[in-house]
Structures are given as C-alpha cells and as structure tokens.
C-alpha cells in the first residue's frame, strides 16, 4: 500500500515545479504569433499613465527644443514622432522657437523649428531606430532621453525619433514589415518634406532597432538611395540567434537550457514569425551600393543582453560581399590584419574597399547594453559617417 506524501512535501514539489510549468506554458504560447509578438515587442508596457510625452521639458529639454508631431505611414498608420533641435542652434533662435505653442503640433511644417531644419542646405539629420525589445515603453522611456541629449546638446545634428506602431501614442500593432514601414515613413518625410538629402542622413539603430535600421536601409539601397551612414549599436545577426543567447535584465536566459543545443537557433527560426535577418540585409546593402557606404558596428564588451560576438557575424556578412568567400580560418586571418587592439577588452577593425565603402567594427570596454548609446564611440561613429575629421577612419 502506497504511503501518502506529507502535505509539506506536496507543497515543496509544487513550489519547485511551478516555475518549470510556467516556463513551459510561456514557450507554448510563444509559438502562437499573437502572443509571440506581445512577448517580443512588449508594446503595451509603458508609463503613459504618469508621463506626458507631449511635454519634453520634463526630460530636461529646453522649451520647444523638442516638437512632438505625427507621421502617416504608407499603410495608413499614424506614427508619433519627436523632432529634437540641436541645442547650439536652439540658442541662436531661442526667442522665436521658445514662443511657439507647446505640446503636440498638428502641422510641424508651419513651425520655426521646421524652417530651421528644412531651410538649411547643410543640416545633418540622425534618424534613430530605438529598441522596442529592450526598453518597451515609449519614445522617452528609460535611457532614451539621455541618448537624445548626447546627440544634440553640443552638436549641430537634428534628431528624429519615433514610437513604432503600437507603442506610445502610435496606432496599429508591431510586426517586422510594419516597423520597417514606420522607419520608411520617417525617411520619406525627411527627404520629401524636410528636403534633407540622403547624404546628410545617418540611420542610428540600437538593439532590435538595429534590425529596423538595417531593414529600412536595405529598402532604400534597392532603390539606389545611399545614406551618409548606418550606425548599429549592440546589433545582432538574426532574431533566432539573438534569442538563443538573450538574457532578461542581463541575468535570466530567455531560452535557458535550449541555448546549449548548437543547432537550436535554426530550429527556433522556423517558429519565429518576424525573422529580422540583419546579416543578410547588410550583405544586400553592400551588394547594391554603387557609390558610397559607411557601416559602423559598435558594441560594449560588458553588454549582458546581446553578446558582442554578434557583431563579428554582421561584419563578416558585409565584408564578404567585397572580398569573396573565405573559410573561417582565412577570414579570421584576413580580419586580424585590419584590426587594431586598443586594449585587452577593446579593438577596432576597419575595412576600406577600393571604392568608397567603409565597414567598421568597434568593441568598447564599457557601456553595457543601454548606456553605450550615450558614450563617445557612438558619437564618433556618426561623425565618421558625415566624413568629419578627414582621416577619422584610419
């Protein structure tokens, strides 16, 4: 006759099994596209209840330095955007800019801020593709305002930042095609409404935003449009590979023991609805470049969310389009000849083709996953994209 388990033992078993049951349930829900996209983008998590993103002064910006406005996408969504004026330019025109109406602007083209952007034939613009995966939230959540300040407080750069569809005040729901259309709406507006030439635009992506930046850059490369530069911060080669090693908060593995299975990423890719194959897209961008291209990959060594080794895959995919196919040992030897070791935890690899294509990978010792956006390597990568400093790539 079986001896019944003591109630305390039953409780112990259930306490131990509950996390596993919960984890397995999440994995099961994760193969369903609706839940998978909610897990991936976390677009319903934000602080809009207690944050007024139509009042950017709350994040330390000067009055009307930031103009919130809306953009229409080609498939009918309305995307919430911020135009952030460089602070030195704001200082020159503070009287006229500060007296504009505050808050959301229904027609940005009628503002002094727009005039200062569109009427300057030398204006340089950074279009930021934030990371919906890492920060969720909205356009001003977490560390994003710090990165905007770093880009505009002492420079001459204008910045355009958006909330993708389904985030913040933007309409719709996120997916791979939609997020690329959102970024394309910003590019189209910049070129066709603000009259900014593509050679004065840098696409800046962070984390999952690097996949968006790569996607929109590929879209325009196929049309023969070449930007001043593509700067990818904490990027990854494709979503399945990234998720295999991704850690929530830099600690908890997203897919735990499955990541120990070498071919797991290939199996996972079959179930992921939004693939985000950035390595393939970078290769395609290089393949279709006819004149000039600047690709900068920047990663912090102490990034606990996405391993810096993902940059190696992106660099190889892009460079291989110009040097041909090499096996692993041959490529490593070739790459090392163009690498400068700046310390035990940092290096810079720079590949210049015979034409005007420059592909640069930089590993920086510090910055983690988010703070790196406000660190010097990112600002320098943008300067290099605009060919400032002459031999800055040497």
């Amino acid at each position: 006759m079986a001896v019944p388990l003591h109630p305390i033992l039953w409780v112990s078993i259930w306490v131990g099994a509950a996390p596993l049951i919960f984890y397995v349930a999440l994995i099961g829900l994760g193969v369903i596209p609706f839940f998978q996209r909610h897990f991936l983008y976390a677009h319903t998590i934000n602080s809009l209840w207690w944050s007024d993103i139509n009042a950017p002064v709350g994040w330390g910006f000067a009055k009307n330095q930031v103009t919130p406005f809306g953009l229409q996408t080609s498939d009918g969504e309305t995307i919430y955007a911020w135009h952030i004026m460089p602070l030195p330019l704001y200082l020159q025109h503070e009287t006229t800019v500060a007296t504009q109406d505050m808050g959301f602007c229904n027609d940005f083209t009628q503002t002094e801020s727009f005039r200062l952007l569109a009427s300057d034939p030398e204006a340089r613009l950074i279009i930021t593709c934030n990371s919906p995966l890492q920060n969720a939230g909205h356009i001003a959540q977490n560390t994003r305002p710090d990165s905007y300040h770093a880009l505009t407080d002492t420079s001459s750069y204008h910045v355009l930042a958006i909330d993708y569809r389904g985030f913040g005040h933007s309409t719709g729901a996120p997916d791979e095609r939609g997020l690329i259309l959102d970024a394309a709406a910003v590019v189209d507006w910049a070129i066709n409404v603000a009259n900014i030439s593509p050679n004065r635009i840098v696409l800046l992506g962070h984390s999952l935003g690097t996949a968006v930046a790569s996607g929109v850059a590929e879209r325009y490369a196929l049309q023969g449009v070449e930007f001043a530069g593509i700067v990818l911060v904490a990027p990854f080669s494709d979503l399945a590979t990234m998720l295999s090693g991704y850690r929530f908060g830099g600690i908890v593995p997203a897919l735990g023991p499955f990541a120990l299975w070498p071919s797991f990423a290939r199996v996972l890719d079959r179930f992921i609805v939004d693939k985000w194959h950035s390595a393939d897209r970078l290769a395609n961008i290089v393949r279709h470049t006819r004149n000039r291209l600047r690709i900068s990959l920047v990663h912090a060594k102490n990034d606990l969310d996405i391993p810096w080794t993902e940059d190696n895959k992106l660099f190889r995919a892009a460079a291989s389009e110009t040097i041909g196919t090499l096996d692993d040992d041959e490529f490593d030897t070739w790459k090392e000849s163009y690498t400068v070791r700046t310390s035990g935890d940092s290096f810079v690899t720079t590949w210049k083709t015979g034409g005007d294509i420059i592909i640069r990978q930089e590993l920086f010792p510090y910055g983690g996953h988010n703070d790196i956006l406000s660190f010097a390597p990112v600002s320098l990568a943008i300067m290099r994209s605009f060919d400032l400093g002459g031999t800055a790539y040497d």
Side-chain angles (χ1 to χ4, degrees):
M1 180 177 177
V3 178
L5 292 175
H6 192 278
I8 295 180
L9 183 59
W10 271 115
V11 171
S12 300
I13 292 173
W14 275 108
V15 168
L20 178 61
I21 294 171
F22 180 70
Y23 180 76
V24 171
L26 287 179
I27 294 295
L29 288 174
V31 302
I32 302 172
F34 173 82
F35 292 105
Q36 184 180 127
R37 287 189 169 118
H38 273 270
F39 295 158
L40 174 62
Y41 300 115
H43 50 288
T44 58
I45 301 173
N46 61 63
S47 61
L48 287 178
W49 288 105
W50 61 88
S51 301
D52 183 5
I53 57 177
N54 286 322
V57 291
W59 287 272
F61 296 101
K63 181 182 178 183
N64 289 336
Q65 181 191 357
V66 179
T67 305
F69 68 107
L71 292 170
Q72 299 299 312
T73 68
S74 60
D75 61 343
E77 300 296 350
T78 300
I79 301 304
Y80 182 89
W82 272 11
H83 165 256
I84 308 163
M85 184 185 301
L87 202 56
L89 179 65
Y90 175 91
L91 179 61
Q92 296 173 30
H93 303 273
E94 183 174 9
T95 301
T96 53
V97 174
T99 55
Q100 297 175 153
D101 291 337
M102 291 184 63
F104 185 84
C105 182
N106 291 314
D107 189 354
F108 180 42
T109 64
Q110 299 302 307
T111 66
E112 179 69 3
S113 300
F114 176 82
R115 187 192 69 78
L116 292 170
L117 169 66
S119 64
D120 182 0
E122 301 300 322
R124 294 186 175 97
L125 176 65
I126 302 170
I127 295 176
T128 66
C129 297
N130 291 321
S131 170
L133 173 63
Q134 177 61 25
N135 294 324
H138 53 64
I139 201 166
Q141 199 146 328
N142 297 317
T143 61
R144 290 171 184 163
D146 293 337
S147 67
Y148 306 150
H149 279 292
L151 293 172
T152 60
D153 279 358
T154 60
S155 77
S156 60
Y157 308 139
H158 296 257
V159 169
L160 277 179
I162 63 168
D163 269 335
Y164 304 112
R165 61 187 61 202
F167 290 84
H169 292 308
S170 298
T171 64
D175 58 25
E176 183 171 1
R177 174 181 174 274
L179 267 60
I180 293 174
L181 287 180
D182 296 342
V186 184
V187 173
D188 288 343
W189 182 91
I191 295 174
N192 300 316
V193 179
N195 299 314
I196 307 297
S197 172
N199 63 12
R200 291 188 281 124
I201 297 174
V202 164
L203 302 178
L204 171 62
H206 171 238
S207 192
L208 183 55
T210 63
V212 179
S214 300
V216 75
E218 179 191 41
R219 178 187 179 96
Y220 285 91
L222 297 176
Q223 302 172 25
V225 176
E226 297 173 357
F227 298 100
I230 305 165
V231 178
L232 307 180
V233 184
F236 57 91
S237 55
D238 64 80
L239 187 59
T241 301
M242 189 273 286
L243 289 178
S244 295
Y246 183 78
R247 293 175 177 270
F248 294 110
I251 300 173
V252 182
L255 294 168
F258 297 109
L260 301 177
W261 182 14
S263 58
F264 176 66
R266 293 193 298 274
V267 175
L268 180 64
D269 193 55
R270 301 175 190 170
F271 296 95
I272 290 179
V273 290
D274 293 336
K275 307 295 185 181
W276 294 114
H277 287 308
S278 293
D280 294 342
R281 284 178 164 141
L282 285 191
N284 208 21
I285 291 167
V286 175
R287 192 178 308 130
H288 286 86
T289 294
R290 296 293 175 261
N291 298 302
R292 180 187 177 282
L293 177 64
R294 303 287 185 269
I295 296 176
S296 296
L297 310 172
V298 180
H299 219 123
K301 178 71 178 293
N302 64 344
D303 186 334
L304 299 179
D305 293 56
I306 298 176
W308 69 266
T309 50
E310 283 293 292
D311 292 34
N312 293 338
K313 303 170 188 176
L314 292 167
F315 183 91
R316 181 170 184 171
S320 293
E321 286 298 316
T322 67
I323 65 174
T325 302
L326 301 175
D327 65 30
D328 291 348
D329 291 338
E330 291 172 333
F331 184 84
D332 290 343
T333 300
W334 172 87
K335 184 183 178 186
E336 187 63 29
S337 66
Y338 294 95
T339 298
V340 176
R341 302 283 169 177
T342 51
S343 77
D345 292 320
S346 60
F347 68 82
V348 175
T349 304
T350 306
W351 167 235
K352 303 178 183 179
T353 69
D356 199 9
I357 295 176
I358 301 177
I359 305 166
R360 191 177 193 276
Q361 178 186 354
E362 178 169 3
L363 179 66
F364 196 70
Y366 311 107
H369 188 68
N370 289 319
D371 291 342
I372 186 67
L373 268 176
S374 303
F375 280 33
V378 174
S379 296
L380 288 169
I382 292 169
M383 293 177 190
R384 294 187 186 97
S385 296
F386 289 126
D387 287 336
L388 302 177
T391 60
Y393 273 97
D394 294 333

